Amino acid sequence: MAENTQTATLTPEARIAQLEAELAANKQIIEEQAEQLQAAEASAETKRPVVTHNRKQYSVLANQFTFDGKLVKAEELAGKPEVVKALIEAESGLLVLVQKAEKPAAE
């Protein structure tokens, strides 16, 4: 109820700004969910865990490995974006870019 009271007291310009901010937040959520869906689809195709970095999917070739002296399991790697970034920058052989299959054109 408090939100309705606040909304009623906003100027039209402030309300538009508020709605634009909400829209931007919602778009970010949708983009993140789309990336998660693409990673899940790629994982199903490759039968290996897939991680995302800069909107690209990478298949994880090892079930586990050591990074900075710590054991990292492939299924945990998606929650460690700093490790993914470091592996990509080091051109590690642990990650392989997933090539998306061409979808047939609709007739």
Side-chain angles (χ1 to χ4, degrees), residues 50-65:
V50 173
V51 294
T52 302
H53 179 71
N54 288 341
R55 297 183 182 209
K56 294 180 184 176
Q57 281 79 39
Y58 297 85
S59 181
V60 184
L61 299 182
N63 292 329
Q64 62 185 22
F65 56 92

Side-chain angles (χ1 to χ4, degrees), residues 10 13 23 25 27 33 49 52 71 78-80 93:
L10 293 176
E13 294 80 12
L23 179 61
K27 283 183 179 181
Q33 289 176 338
T52 302
L71 182 68
K80 300 179 184 252

Side-chain angles (χ1 to χ4, degrees), residues 3-4 9 14 21-22 24 43 49-50 70-71 95 106:
E3 186 177 330
N4 290 341
T9 61
E22 289 176 14
S43 181
V50 173
K70 296 179 183 173
L71 182 68
L95 301 178

Side-chain angles (χ1 to χ4, degrees), residues 58-105:
Y58 297 85
S59 181
V60 184
L61 299 182
N63 292 329
Q64 62 185 22
F65 56 92
T66 303
F67 182 82
D68 279 346
K70 296 179 183 173
L71 182 68
V72 179
K73 295 184 179 182
E75 60 270 6
E76 298 170 349
L77 195 55
K80 300 179 184 252
E82 68 285 352
V83 176
V84 174
K85 181 180 177 185
L87 291 172
I88 292 168
E89 289 175 351
E91 298 180 3
S92 170
L94 292 170
L95 301 178
V96 175
L97 183 64
V98 175
Q99 301 296 329
K100 296 180 183 178
E102 293 290 323
K103 293 184 180 181

Side-chain angles (χ1 to χ4, degrees), residues 13-29:
E13 294 80 12
R15 181 67 178 142
I16 289 170
Q18 180 186 33
L19 291 172
E20 287 175 342
E22 289 176 14
L23 179 61
N26 288 339
K27 283 183 179 181
Q28 179 65 31
I29 291 169

